């Protein structure tokens, strides 16, 4: 872990799970933290836990609901008014596989809207603060949390929001693929337009967090069976790992000076379910640069948030 004193880090979804574990490690390395959270109570509990582990931590919360573009704009406007450059931004928050189709405040399918579109809009609005970072030759770093599920993802251009044929798992896979494609395209566009931002991605393998109950249990009367299965595997020590291990790929992507733009990190164990952190081969669907450029343009149209400059190298 390099020393991060004087750097400002923004971590979404840090009220629990991977986000909270990562925020605690960043605070321990000296970074100042902004934790955008949907629940004020959970945010306060996260701050209390971080300060218990790192007594001199400089950490605060801001309100953010990634399922609302208005909320994204409000957060960005507040941070822009503060004028403090952002050195590290981790797009970590997300929702996984609600059994029935839900939509965001803006009418997008919940997983696409929260995991991908909300984060892309946030990065776009905060671009001036990221570009203002004085982090040496590497510039600010944006790390997007994807998932191993992205390898099974496909973008259905004719039904992006799952209006005609919603499948919880298929929609999750597609949203996580979209996040990975965004991370890689952001790095290409940064280099093409001189934004000075390093963008990479990570996935936590199979790490037990509240994600397995919050999404699959959305609207359900009883806890989802998946949560009980994952807790059982965790207790047995097979296929599932705790947050302390699952946070390592993101930690490397965010802090390792050698973790450059366009790189992808995940667990190094069998099947990449568990283990320490290592570079991963980018899933084939995410290597399609024409599709990534198309997704970028569509996402700008859907969110109304437009990045400056031309496309990535080789694109109009």
């Amino acid at each position: 872990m390099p020393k991060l004193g004087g750097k400002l880090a923004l971590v979404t979804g840090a009220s629990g799970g991977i986000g909270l574990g990562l925020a605690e490690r960043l605070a321990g390395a000296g970074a100042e933290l902004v934790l955008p959270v949907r629940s004020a109570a959970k945010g306060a509990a996260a701050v209390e836990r971080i300060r218990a582990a790192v007594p001199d931590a400089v950490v605060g919360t801001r309100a953010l609901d990634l399922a609302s573009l208005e909320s994204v704009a409000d957060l960005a406007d507040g941070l822009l008014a503060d004028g403090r450059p952002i050195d590290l931004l981790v797009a970590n928050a997300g929702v996984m596989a609600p059994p029935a189709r839900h939509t965001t405040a803006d009418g997008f399918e919940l997983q696409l809207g929260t995991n991908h579109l909300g984060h892309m809009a946030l990065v776009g609005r905060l671009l001036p603060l990221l570009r203002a970072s004085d982090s040496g030759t590497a510039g600010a770093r944006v790390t997007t949390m994807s998932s191993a599920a992205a390898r099974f993802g496909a973008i259905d251009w004719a039904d992006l929001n799952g209006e005609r044929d919603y499948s919880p798992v298929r929609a999750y896979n597609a949203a996580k693929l979209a996040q990975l494609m965004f991370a890689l395209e952001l790095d290409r566009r940064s280099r093409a337009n001189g934004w000075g931002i390093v963008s990479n991605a990570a996935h936590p393998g199979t790490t037990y967090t509240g994600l397995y109950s919050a999404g699959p249990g959305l609207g359900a009367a009883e806890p989802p069976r998946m949560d009980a299965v994952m807790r059982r595997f965790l207790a047995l020590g097979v296929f599932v790992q705790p947050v302390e291990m699952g946070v390592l790929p993101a930690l490397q992507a965010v802090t390792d000076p050698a973790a450059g733009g366009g790189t992808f990190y995940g667990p190094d164990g069998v099947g990449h379910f568990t283990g320490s952190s290592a570079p991963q081969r980018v899933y084939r669907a995410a290597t399609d640069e024409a599709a990534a450029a198309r997704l970028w343009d569509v996402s700008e149209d859907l969110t109304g948030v437009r990045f400056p400059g031309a496309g990535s190298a080789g694109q109009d």
Side-chain angles (χ1 to χ4, degrees):
M1 281 285 291
K3 299 298 182 182
L4 300 176
K7 295 190 181 298
L8 180 64
L10 185 151
V11 184
T12 68
S15 60
I18 295 292
L20 178 54
L22 179 61
E24 188 174 315
R25 294 292 299 270
L26 295 177
E32 300 177 33
L33 292 170
V34 172
L35 309 182
V37 295
R38 188 174 58 175
S39 165
K42 289 183 178 179
V47 169
E48 183 177 349
R49 172 174 156 174
I50 291 170
R51 287 179 175 159
V54 186
D56 59 348
V58 179
V59 53
T61 62
R62 297 285 183 108
L64 173 65
D65 181 357
L66 283 161
S68 164
L69 292 177
E70 181 179 5
S71 178
V72 171
D74 288 345
L75 171 65
D77 287 347
L79 292 171
L80 288 165
D82 293 345
R84 174 76 184 275
I86 296 173
D87 304 295
L88 307 169
L89 190 158
V90 186
N92 165 75
V95 61
M96 182 181 75
R101 183 178 180 272
H102 293 262
T103 57
T104 69
D106 305 283
F108 308 129
E109 187 278 316
L110 184 62
Q111 297 179 86
L112 179 74
T114 301
N115 300 357
H116 168 57
L117 294 174
H119 277 125
M120 181 172 176
L122 181 64
V123 172
R125 289 189 178 277
L126 293 179
L127 195 65
L129 299 182
L130 293 164
R131 296 185 67 178
S133 170
D134 183 17
S135 295
T137 57
R141 186 170 298 201
V142 176
T143 295
T144 299
M145 288 299 294
S146 182
S147 166
R151 80 179 72 185
F152 307 111
I155 306 298
D156 185 348
W157 301 106
D159 192 24
L160 276 175
N161 281 294
E163 296 173 282
R164 293 190 305 217
D165 183 20
Y166 175 75
S167 160
V169 173
R170 188 168 65 242
Y172 180 70
N173 295 349
K176 285 299 174 179
L177 172 60
Q179 286 190 274
L180 181 55
M181 293 169 72
F182 165 70
L184 301 176
E185 182 68 6
L186 176 62
D187 192 70
R188 287 190 287 267
R189 293 193 181 226
S190 177
R191 287 185 278 109
N193 293 290
W195 295 340
I197 295 168
V198 173
S199 174
N200 58 24
H203 79 85
T206 309
T207 298
Y208 179 70
T209 69
L211 200 65
Y212 289 97
S213 58
L218 189 62
E222 298 180 358
R225 184 173 180 272
M226 175 60 73
D227 184 69
V229 171
M230 297 300 289
R231 283 190 282 109
R232 179 61 175 165
F233 278 136
L234 179 65
L236 293 172
V238 293
F239 302 125
V240 179
Q241 63 186 0
V243 167
E244 291 74 20
M245 290 298 294
V247 75
L248 296 180
L251 193 65
Q252 182 171 11
V254 174
T255 66
D256 186 352
T263 52
F264 184 38
Y265 291 87
D268 63 358
V270 175
H272 305 295
F273 294 114
T274 62
S276 189
S277 177
Q280 309 278 294
R281 178 179 295 178
V282 174
Y283 306 135
R284 183 174 180 180
T287 64
D288 187 337
E289 295 186 17
R294 180 182 180 184
L295 178 64
W296 184 283
D297 292 342
V298 169
S299 300
E300 284 190 330
D301 290 342
L302 291 173
T303 63
V305 177
R306 301 196 177 277
F307 289 67
S312 57
Q315 299 292 333
D316 294 332

